[in-house]
Coordinates of all heavy atoms in Angstrom, one line a residue:
M802 N -22.1 4.6 4.2 CA -22.6 6.1 4.3 C -21.4 6.9 4.9 O -21.1 8.0 4.4 CB -23.8 6.2 5.0 CG -24.5 7.5 4.8 SD -25.2 7.6 3.1 CE -26.3 8.7 3.3
V803 N -20.9 6.4 6.1 CA -19.9 7.2 6.9 C -18.6 7.3 6.0 O -18.1 8.3 5.9 CB -19.6 6.4 8.2 CG1 -18.5 7.1 8.9 CG2 -20.8 6.5 9.1
A804 N -18.2 6.1 5.3 CA -17.0 6.2 4.6 C -17.2 7.2 3.3 O -16.2 7.9 3.0 CB -16.8 4.7 3.9
A805 N -18.4 7.1 2.8 CA -18.5 8.0 1.6 C -18.5 9.5 2.1 O -17.8 10.4 1.4 CB -19.9 7.8 1.0
A806 N -19.0 9.8 3.3 CA -19.0 11.2 3.8 C -17.5 11.5 4.1 O -17.1 12.7 3.8 CB -19.8 11.3 5.1
C807 N -16.7 10.7 4.6 CA -15.3 10.9 4.8 C -14.6 11.3 3.6 O -13.8 12.1 3.5 CB -14.8 9.8 5.6 SG -15.3 9.5 7.2
F808 N -14.8 10.5 2.6 CA -14.1 10.7 1.3 C -14.7 12.0 0.6 O -13.9 12.7 0.0 CB -14.4 9.6 0.3 CG -13.7 8.3 0.7 CD1 -14.6 7.1 0.8 CD2 -12.4 8.2 0.9 CE1 -13.7 5.9 1.1 CE2 -11.9 7.0 1.4 CZ -12.5 5.9 1.4
V809 N -15.9 12.4 0.8 CA -16.4 13.6 0.3 C -15.6 14.9 1.1 O -15.2 15.8 0.4 CB -17.9 13.7 0.4 CG1 -18.4 15.2 0.2 CG2 -18.6 12.8 -0.6
V810 N -15.6 14.7 2.3 CA -14.8 15.7 3.1 C -13.3 15.8 2.5 O -12.8 17.0 2.4 CB -14.7 15.4 4.6 CG1 -13.8 16.4 5.3 CG2 -16.2 15.6 5.2
A811 N -12.8 14.8 2.3 CA -11.3 14.6 1.7 C -11.3 15.4 0.5 O -10.3 16.1 0.1 CB -10.8 13.2 1.6
V812 N -12.2 15.2 -0.5 CA -12.3 15.7 -1.9 C -12.5 17.2 -1.6 O -11.8 18.0 -2.4 CB -13.3 15.0 -2.6 CG1 -13.5 15.9 -4.0 CG2 -12.9 13.7 -3.1
V813 N -13.4 17.5 -0.8 CA -13.7 19.1 -0.6 C -12.5 19.8 -0.1 O -12.0 20.9 -0.6 CB -14.9 19.3 0.3 CG1 -15.1 20.7 0.8 CG2 -16.2 18.7 -0.3
A814 N -11.9 19.2 0.8 CA -10.6 19.8 1.4 C -9.5 19.8 0.3 O -8.7 20.9 0.2 CB -10.0 18.8 2.6
E815 N -9.4 18.9 -0.5 CA -8.3 18.8 -1.6 C -8.7 20.0 -2.6 O -7.9 20.8 -3.0 CB -8.4 17.5 -2.3 CG -7.5 17.4 -3.6 CD -6.1 17.3 -3.2 OE1 -5.8 16.8 -2.1 OE2 -5.2 17.8 -4.0
I816 N -9.9 20.3 -2.9 CA -10.4 21.2 -3.9 C -10.2 22.5 -3.2 O -9.8 23.6 -3.9 CB -12.0 21.0 -4.2 CG1 -12.0 19.8 -5.1 CG2 -12.5 22.3 -4.9 CD1 -13.5 19.5 -5.4
A817 N -10.4 22.7 -1.9 CA -10.2 24.0 -1.2 C -8.7 24.3 -1.0 O -8.4 25.3 -0.7 CB -10.8 23.9 0.2
G818 N -7.8 23.3 -1.4 CA -6.5 23.7 -1.4 C -5.7 23.5 0.0 O -4.7 24.0 0.2
V819 N -6.3 22.8 0.9 CA -5.8 22.5 2.1 C -4.5 21.5 1.9 O -4.5 20.7 1.1 CB -6.8 21.6 3.0 CG1 -6.2 21.3 4.4 CG2 -7.9 22.6 3.2
E820 N -3.5 21.8 2.7 CA -2.3 21.0 2.7 C -2.6 19.5 2.8 O -3.5 19.0 3.5 CB -1.3 21.3 3.7 CG 0.0 20.6 3.7 CD 0.9 21.0 4.9 OE1 0.7 22.1 5.5 OE2 1.6 20.0 5.2
Q821 N -2.0 18.7 1.9 CA -2.3 17.4 1.8 C -2.0 16.6 3.2 O -2.9 15.7 3.5 CB -1.2 16.6 0.8 CG -1.5 16.9 -0.6 CD -2.8 16.2 -1.1 OE1 -3.1 15.1 -0.7 NE2 -3.6 17.0 -1.9
G822 N -1.1 16.8 3.9 CA -0.8 16.0 5.1 C -0.3 14.7 4.7 O -0.4 14.2 3.6
S823 N 0.4 14.0 5.7 CA 0.8 12.7 5.4 C 1.2 11.9 6.6 O 1.0 12.6 7.8 CB 2.1 12.7 4.6 OG 3.2 13.3 5.3
G824 N 1.3 10.7 6.5 CA 1.6 9.8 7.9 C 1.2 8.5 7.4 O 0.9 8.1 6.3
E825 N 1.5 7.6 8.4 CA 1.2 6.3 8.4 C -0.3 5.9 8.9 O -0.7 6.5 9.9 CB 2.0 5.3 9.3 CG 3.5 5.4 9.0 CD 3.8 4.5 7.7 OE1 3.1 3.6 7.6 OE2 4.6 5.1 6.9
M826 N -1.0 5.1 8.1 CA -2.3 4.7 8.5 C -2.4 4.1 9.7 O -3.6 4.1 10.6 CB -3.0 4.0 7.5 CG -3.3 4.4 6.1 SD -4.1 3.5 4.9 CE -5.7 3.5 5.7
T827 N -1.3 3.6 10.4 CA -1.4 2.8 11.6 C -1.0 3.9 12.7 O -1.2 3.4 13.9 CB -0.4 1.7 11.6 OG1 0.9 2.1 11.3 CG2 -0.8 0.7 10.6
D828 N -0.7 5.0 12.5 CA -0.3 6.0 13.5 C -1.8 6.8 13.8 O -1.9 7.8 13.2 CB 0.7 7.0 13.0 CG 1.1 8.0 14.1 OD1 0.5 7.9 15.3 OD2 1.9 8.8 13.7
L829 N -2.5 6.3 14.7 CA -3.8 6.9 15.0 C -3.7 8.2 15.5 O -4.6 9.2 15.3 CB -4.5 6.1 16.2 CG -5.0 4.7 15.6 CD1 -5.7 3.9 16.6 CD2 -5.7 4.7 14.3
A830 N -2.6 8.7 16.3 CA -2.4 10.1 16.7 C -2.3 11.1 15.4 O -2.8 12.0 15.4 CB -1.2 10.2 17.6
A831 N -1.5 10.5 14.5 CA -1.3 11.5 13.2 C -2.7 11.6 12.5 O -2.9 12.5 12.0 CB -0.3 10.7 12.3
V832 N -3.5 10.5 12.5 CA -4.7 10.5 11.8 C -5.6 11.5 12.5 O -6.3 12.4 11.8 CB -5.4 9.1 11.5 CG1 -6.8 9.2 11.1 CG2 -4.5 8.2 10.8
F833 N -5.6 11.5 13.8 CA -6.5 12.4 14.6 C -6.1 13.8 14.5 O -7.0 14.7 14.3 CB -6.4 11.9 16.0 CG -7.4 12.7 16.9 CD1 -8.8 12.5 16.9 CD2 -7.0 13.6 17.9 CE1 -9.7 13.3 17.8 CE2 -7.7 14.5 18.7 CZ -9.1 14.3 18.5
D834 N -4.8 14.0 14.5 CA -4.3 15.3 14.3 C -4.7 16.0 13.0 O -5.1 17.1 12.7 CB -2.8 15.5 14.6 CG -2.4 15.3 16.0 OD1 -3.2 15.4 17.0 OD2 -1.2 14.8 16.2
G835 N -4.6 15.0 12.0 CA -5.0 15.4 10.6 C -6.5 15.6 10.4 O -6.7 16.4 9.6
L836 N -7.2 15.0 11.1 CA -8.7 15.2 11.1 C -9.0 16.6 11.6 O -9.8 17.4 11.1 CB -9.4 14.1 11.9 CG -9.5 12.8 11.3 CD1 -10.0 11.9 12.2 CD2 -10.2 12.8 10.0
L837 N -8.2 16.9 12.7 CA -8.5 18.2 13.3 C -8.0 19.4 12.4 O -8.5 20.5 12.4 CB -7.8 18.4 14.7 CG -8.4 17.4 15.9 CD1 -7.7 17.6 17.0 CD2 -9.9 17.8 16.0
A838 N -6.9 19.1 11.6 CA -6.3 20.0 10.8 C -7.0 20.0 9.5 O -6.6 20.9 8.6 CB -4.8 19.8 10.5
F839 N -7.9 19.2 9.2 CA -8.9 19.2 8.0 C -7.9 18.6 6.7 O -8.2 19.2 5.6 CB -9.5 20.5 7.8 CG -10.7 20.4 6.8 CD1 -11.7 19.6 7.0 CD2 -10.6 21.1 5.6 CE1 -12.8 19.6 6.1 CE2 -11.6 21.1 4.8 CZ -12.8 20.4 5.0
T840 N -7.0 17.8 6.9 CA -6.2 17.5 5.9 C -6.8 16.3 5.0 O -7.5 15.4 5.7 CB -4.8 16.9 6.2 OG1 -4.9 15.8 7.2 CG2 -4.0 17.9 7.0
P841 N -6.8 16.3 3.8 CA -7.3 15.2 2.9 C -6.9 13.9 3.3 O -7.7 12.9 3.3 CB -7.0 15.7 1.4 CG -6.7 17.1 1.6 CD -6.1 17.4 3.0
W842 N -5.5 13.7 3.5 CA -5.1 12.5 3.7 C -5.7 11.8 5.0 O -6.2 10.7 5.0 CB -3.5 12.6 4.1 CG -3.0 11.4 4.8 CD1 -2.7 10.3 4.3 CD2 -2.8 11.1 6.1 NE1 -2.2 9.3 5.0 CE2 -2.3 9.8 6.4 CE3 -3.0 11.9 7.2 CZ2 -2.0 9.3 7.6 CZ3 -2.7 11.4 8.6 CH2 -2.2 10.1 8.6
A843 N -6.0 12.5 6.0 CA -6.6 12.0 7.4 C -8.1 11.7 7.1 O -8.4 10.6 7.5 CB -6.4 13.1 8.4
W844 N -8.8 12.5 6.3 CA -10.2 12.1 6.2 C -10.3 11.0 5.1 O -11.2 10.1 5.4 CB -10.9 13.3 5.5 CG -11.3 14.3 6.6 CD1 -10.5 15.5 7.0 CD2 -12.2 14.3 7.5 NE1 -11.0 16.1 7.9 CE2 -12.2 15.3 8.4 CE3 -13.3 13.4 7.8 CZ2 -13.0 15.6 9.5 CZ3 -14.2 13.6 8.8 CH2 -14.0 14.7 9.7
A845 N -9.4 10.7 4.2 CA -9.4 9.7 3.3 C -9.0 8.4 4.0 O -9.6 7.3 4.0 CB -8.5 9.7 2.2
T846 N -8.2 8.5 5.0 CA -7.8 7.5 6.0 C -8.9 7.1 6.8 O -9.3 5.8 6.9 CB -6.5 7.8 6.8 OG1 -5.5 8.2 6.0 CG2 -6.1 6.6 7.7
L847 N -9.8 8.0 7.3 CA -10.9 7.7 8.1 C -11.9 6.9 7.2 O -12.5 6.0 7.8 CB -11.5 9.0 8.8 CG -12.6 8.7 9.8 CD1 -12.1 7.8 10.9 CD2 -13.1 10.0 10.2
G848 N -11.9 7.2 6.1 CA -12.9 6.5 5.2 C -12.5 5.2 4.9 O -13.4 4.2 4.8
V849 N -11.2 5.0 4.9 CA -10.7 3.6 4.6 C -11.0 2.7 5.9 O -11.4 1.6 5.9 CB -9.3 3.6 4.3 CG1 -8.7 2.2 4.3 CG2 -9.0 4.2 2.9
Y850 N -10.7 3.3 7.1 CA -11.1 2.7 8.3 C -12.6 2.2 8.3 O -13.0 1.1 8.8 CB -10.8 3.5 9.5 CG -9.4 3.8 9.9 CD1 -9.1 4.8 10.7 CD2 -8.4 2.9 9.3 CE1 -7.8 4.9 11.1 CE2 -7.1 3.2 9.7 CZ -6.7 4.2 10.6 OH -5.4 4.4 11.0
A851 N -13.5 3.2 7.9 CA -14.8 2.9 7.8 C -15.3 1.8 6.9 O -16.1 0.8 7.3 CB -15.7 4.2 7.6
V852 N -14.5 1.8 5.8 CA -14.8 0.6 4.8 C -14.3 -0.7 5.3 O -15.0 -1.8 5.2 CB -14.1 1.0 3.4 CG1 -14.0 -0.3 2.6 CG2 -14.8 2.2 2.7
V853 N -13.2 -0.7 6.0 CA -12.7 -2.0 6.6 C -13.5 -2.4 7.8 O -13.8 -3.6 7.9 CB -11.3 -1.8 7.0 CG1 -10.8 -2.9 7.8 CG2 -10.4 -1.6 5.7
L854 N -13.9 -1.5 8.7 CA -14.7 -1.8 9.9 C -16.1 -2.2 9.6 O -16.7 -3.0 10.5 CB -14.4 -0.7 10.9 CG -13.2 -0.6 11.5 CD1 -13.2 0.7 12.4 CD2 -12.7 -1.8 12.2
T855 N -16.7 -1.9 8.5 CA -18.2 -2.1 8.3 C -18.5 -3.7 8.3 O -19.3 -4.0 9.0 CB -18.6 -1.4 7.0 OG1 -18.5 -0.1 7.1 CG2 -20.1 -1.8 6.7
P856 N -17.7 -4.3 7.5 CA -18.1 -5.8 7.5 C -17.6 -6.5 8.7 O -18.2 -7.6 9.3 CB -17.1 -6.5 6.3 CG -16.2 -5.4 6.1 CD -16.8 -4.1 6.5
V857 N -16.5 -5.9 9.5 CA -16.1 -6.5 10.9 C -17.3 -6.4 11.8 O -17.7 -7.3 12.5 CB -14.9 -5.9 11.3 CG1 -14.6 -6.3 12.8 CG2 -13.7 -6.3 10.4
L858 N -17.8 -5.2 11.9 CA -19.0 -5.0 12.8 C -20.3 -5.8 12.4 O -20.8 -6.2 13.3 CB -19.4 -3.4 12.8 CG -18.3 -2.6 13.4 CD1 -18.7 -1.1 13.2 CD2 -18.0 -2.8 14.9
G859 N -20.4 -5.9 11.1 CA -21.5 -6.7 10.7 C -21.4 -8.2 11.0 O -22.3 -8.8 11.5
L860 N -20.2 -8.7 11.0 CA -19.8 -10.0 11.4 C -20.1 -10.2 13.0 O -20.5 -11.2 13.5 CB -18.5 -10.5 11.0 CG -18.3 -10.9 9.4 CD1 -16.9 -11.0 9.0 CD2 -19.1 -12.2 9.1
L861 N -19.5 -9.2 13.7 CA -19.7 -9.2 15.1 C -21.1 -9.3 15.5 O -21.6 -10.1 16.4 CB -19.0 -8.1 15.8 CG -17.5 -8.1 15.8 CD1 -16.8 -6.7 16.2 CD2 -16.9 -9.3 16.7
V862 N -22.1 -8.4 15.0 CA -23.4 -8.4 15.2 C -24.0 -9.8 14.8 O -24.9 -10.3 15.5 CB -24.0 -7.3 14.6 CG1 -25.6 -7.3 14.6 CG2 -23.6 -5.9 15.2
T863 N -23.7 -10.3 13.7 CA -24.1 -11.7 13.2 C -23.9 -12.6 14.2 O -24.8 -13.4 14.6 CB -23.7 -11.9 11.8 OG1 -24.1 -11.0 10.9 CG2 -24.2 -13.3 11.4
A864 N -22.7 -12.8 14.7 CA -22.2 -13.8 15.7 C -23.1 -13.6 17.0 O -23.5 -14.5 17.5 CB -20.7 -13.5 16.0
W865 N -23.1 -12.3 17.5 CA -23.8 -12.1 18.7 C -25.4 -12.4 18.6 O -25.9 -13.2 19.3 CB -23.8 -10.6 19.1 CG -24.6 -10.4 20.3 CD1 -24.3 -10.5 21.5 CD2 -25.7 -9.6 20.4 NE1 -25.3 -10.2 22.4 CE2 -26.2 -9.5 21.6 CE3 -26.7 -9.0 19.3 CZ2 -27.5 -9.0 21.9 CZ3 -27.8 -8.6 19.6 CH2 -28.1 -8.4 21.1
E866 N -25.9 -12.1 17.4 CA -27.4 -12.4 17.2 C -27.7 -13.9 17.1 O -28.6 -14.3 17.8 CB -27.7 -11.7 15.9 CG -29.3 -11.9 15.7 CD -29.7 -11.1 14.5 OE1 -29.1 -10.1 13.9 OE2 -30.8 -11.6 13.8
Y867 N -26.8 -14.7 16.5 CA -27.0 -16.0 16.4 C -26.7 -16.7 17.7 O -27.1 -17.9 17.9 CB -26.3 -16.6 15.2 CG -27.0 -16.3 13.9 CD1 -26.6 -15.5 12.9 CD2 -28.1 -17.2 13.6 CE1 -27.3 -15.2 11.8 CE2 -28.9 -16.9 12.5 CZ -28.4 -16.0 11.6 OH -29.1 -15.7 10.3
A868 N -25.7 -16.1 18.5 CA -25.4 -16.7 19.7 C -26.7 -16.7 20.7 O -26.9 -17.5 21.5 CB -24.3 -16.1 20.2
T869 N -27.4 -15.6 20.5 CA -28.6 -15.4 21.4 C -29.6 -16.5 21.1 O -30.4 -16.7 22.0 CB -29.2 -14.0 21.3 OG1 -29.7 -13.8 20.0 CG2 -28.1 -13.0 21.7
V870 N -29.7 -17.1 19.8 CA -30.7 -18.1 19.5 C -30.0 -19.5 19.4 O -30.6 -20.4 18.9 CB -31.4 -17.8 18.2 CG1 -32.2 -16.6 18.4 CG2 -30.5 -17.6 16.9
S871 N -28.7 -19.5 19.9 CA -28.0 -20.9 20.0 C -27.8 -21.6 18.7 O -27.9 -22.8 18.8 CB -28.7 -21.8 21.0 OG -29.0 -21.3 22.4
D872 N -27.6 -20.8 17.6 CA -27.2 -21.3 16.4 C -25.6 -21.4 16.3 O -25.0 -20.4 15.9 CB -27.8 -20.4 15.2 CG -27.6 -21.2 13.9 OD1 -26.7 -22.1 13.8 OD2 -28.1 -20.6 13.0
R873 N -25.0 -22.4 16.9 CA -23.5 -22.4 17.1 C -22.8 -22.6 15.7 O -21.8 -22.0 15.6 CB -23.2 -23.6 18.0 CG -23.7 -23.5 19.4 CD -23.2 -24.6 20.2 NE -23.7 -24.3 21.7 CZ -23.6 -25.3 22.4 NH1 -22.8 -26.4 22.3 NH2 -24.0 -25.0 23.7
R874 N -23.5 -23.2 14.8 CA -22.8 -23.4 13.4 C -22.5 -22.0 12.7 O -21.5 -21.7 12.3 CB -23.6 -24.3 12.5 CG -22.9 -24.6 11.3 CD -23.8 -25.5 10.4 NE -25.1 -24.9 10.1 CZ -25.9 -25.3 9.1 NH1 -25.5 -26.1 8.4 NH2 -26.9 -24.5 9.1
T875 N -23.6 -21.1 12.9 CA -23.5 -19.8 12.3 C -22.5 -18.9 13.0 O -21.8 -18.2 12.4 CB -24.9 -19.2 12.0 OG1 -25.7 -20.1 11.4 CG2 -24.8 -17.9 11.3
V876 N -22.6 -19.1 14.2 CA -21.7 -18.2 15.2 C -20.1 -18.7 14.8 O -19.4 -17.8 14.6 CB -21.8 -18.6 16.6 CG1 -20.9 -17.9 17.6 CG2 -23.3 -17.9 17.0
A877 N -20.0 -20.1 14.7 CA -18.6 -20.5 14.4 C -18.2 -20.0 12.9 O -17.0 -19.6 12.8 CB -18.6 -22.0 14.3
L878 N -19.0 -19.9 12.0 CA -18.7 -19.4 10.7 C -18.4 -18.0 10.7 O -17.3 -17.5 10.2 CB -19.9 -19.7 9.8 CG -19.7 -19.2 8.2 CD1 -18.5 -20.0 7.7 CD2 -21.0 -19.4 7.5
A879 N -19.2 -17.2 11.6 CA -18.9 -15.8 11.6 C -17.5 -15.5 12.3 O -16.8 -14.7 11.8 CB -20.0 -15.0 12.4
V880 N -17.3 -16.3 13.3 CA -16.0 -16.1 14.1 C -14.9 -16.6 13.2 O -13.8 -15.9 13.0 CB -16.0 -17.1 15.3 CG1 -14.6 -17.0 15.9 CG2 -17.0 -16.3 16.4
A881 N -15.1 -17.6 12.3 CA -14.0 -18.0 11.3 C -13.7 -17.0 10.2 O -12.5 -16.7 10.0 CB -14.5 -19.3 10.7
V882 N -14.7 -16.4 9.8 CA -14.5 -15.2 8.8 C -13.7 -14.1 9.5 O -12.8 -13.3 9.0 CB -15.9 -14.8 8.2 CG1 -15.6 -13.5 7.4 CG2 -16.5 -15.9 7.4
L883 N -14.1 -13.8 10.8 CA -13.5 -12.7 11.4 C -12.1 -13.1 11.6 O -11.0 -12.2 11.6 CB -14.1 -12.5 12.9 CG -15.3 -11.7 12.8 CD1 -16.0 -11.7 14.3 CD2 -15.0 -10.2 12.5
A884 N -11.7 -14.4 12.0 CA -10.3 -14.8 12.1 C -9.5 -14.6 10.9 O -8.3 -14.0 10.9 CB -10.3 -16.3 12.5
V885 N -10.2 -14.9 9.7 CA -9.5 -14.7 8.4 C -9.2 -13.2 8.1 O -8.1 -12.8 7.7 CB -10.4 -15.3 7.2 CG1 -9.8 -14.8 5.9 CG2 -10.4 -16.8 7.4
L886 N -10.2 -12.4 8.4 CA -10.0 -10.8 8.3 C -8.9 -10.4 9.2 O -8.1 -9.6 8.8 CB -11.3 -10.2 8.6 CG -12.5 -10.2 7.5 CD1 -13.6 -9.6 8.0 CD2 -11.9 -9.7 6.2
A887 N -8.9 -10.9 10.3 CA -8.0 -10.5 11.3 C -6.4 -10.9 11.0 O -5.6 -10.1 11.0 CB -8.2 -11.0 12.7
T888 N -6.3 -12.1 10.4 CA -5.1 -12.6 10.0 C -4.7 -11.7 8.9 O -3.4 -11.3 8.7 CB -5.2 -14.2 9.5 OG1 -5.6 -14.8 10.7 CG2 -3.9 -14.6 9.0
S889 N -5.5 -11.6 7.8 CA -5.1 -10.7 6.7 C -4.8 -9.3 7.0 O -3.9 -8.7 6.4 CB -6.2 -10.7 5.5 OG -7.5 -10.1 6.0
A890 N -5.4 -8.7 8.0 CA -5.1 -7.4 8.4 C -3.7 -7.3 9.1 O -2.8 -6.4 8.9 CB -6.1 -6.8 9.4
V891 N -3.4 -8.3 10.0 CA -2.1 -8.4 10.6 C -0.9 -8.6 9.6 O 0.0 -7.9 9.7 CB -2.1 -9.6 11.6 CG1 -0.6 -9.8 12.2 CG2 -3.1 -9.2 12.8
V892 N -1.2 -9.5 8.7 CA -0.3 -9.5 7.5 C 0.0 -8.4 6.8 O 1.2 -8.0 6.5 CB -0.6 -10.8 6.7 CG1 0.2 -10.8 5.5 CG2 -0.5 -12.3 7.4
A893 N -1.0 -7.7 6.5 CA -0.9 -6.4 5.8 C -0.2 -5.4 6.6 O 0.6 -4.6 6.0 CB -2.3 -5.9 5.3
I894 N -0.4 -5.3 7.8 CA 0.3 -4.3 8.6 C 1.7 -4.5 8.9 O 2.5 -3.7 8.8 CB -0.5 -4.1 10.0 CG1 -1.8 -3.5 9.8 CG2 0.3 -3.3 11.0 CD1 -2.8 -3.6 11.1
L895 N 2.0 -5.8 9.0 CA 3.4 -6.3 9.3 C 4.2 -6.2 8.0 O 5.5 -6.2 8.1 CB 3.4 -7.6 10.0 CG 2.9 -7.7 11.3 CD1 3.0 -9.1 11.9 CD2 3.5 -6.6 12.3
R896 N 3.6 -6.2 6.9 CA 4.3 -6.3 5.6 C 5.1 -5.1 5.4 O 5.7 -4.4 5.3 CB 3.3 -6.6 4.6 CG 4.0 -6.9 3.3 CD 2.9 -7.6 2.5 NE 3.5 -8.2 1.3 CZ 3.1 -8.0 0.0 NH1 2.0 -7.5 -0.2 NH2 3.7 -8.6 -0.9

């Protein structure tokens, strides 16, 4: 829902004729400045962050919840999936 709202803001800014803006997705300061300037690029980037972080947060909550009931196998599985996501993110950023 948050991601969709960010993408809607980006589209509205685009339709309103706001300057596109640009930058690297890994430059958080540029993204923050773009959000304040209402640039479509920054709002779309925030939407992408939300799309990527949603499953990560879900896995963290799952691992924590199963850790509280001592289900080590499910915790290990959630942590393994997080490791795969982290590895793929690092490879994508360094590429």
Side-chain angles (χ1 to χ4, degrees):
M802 193 72 151
V803 172
C807 292
F808 290 129
V809 166
V810 170
V812 169
V813 168
E815 177 73 26
I816 291 171
V819 176
E820 181 183 335
Q821 286 290 320
S823 64
E825 293 289 325
M826 288 185 70
T827 55
D828 184 4
L829 296 180
V832 174
F833 183 73
D834 290 342
L836 291 173
L837 295 178
F839 197 62
T840 60
W842 165 82
W844 283 97
T846 301
L847 185 63
V849 170
Y850 286 165
V852 166
V853 170
L854 289 176
T855 300
V857 171
L858 292 175
L860 285 167
L861 287 172
V862 169
T863 299
W865 175 77
E866 184 177 337
Y867 281 106
T869 61
V870 295
S871 300
D872 186 350
R873 292 182 183 179
R874 185 179 60 158
T875 306
V876 171
L878 181 62
V880 170
V882 172
L883 279 170
V885 169
L886 287 174
T888 302
S889 62
V891 167
V892 168
I894 288 171
L895 294 177
R896 191 165 192 224

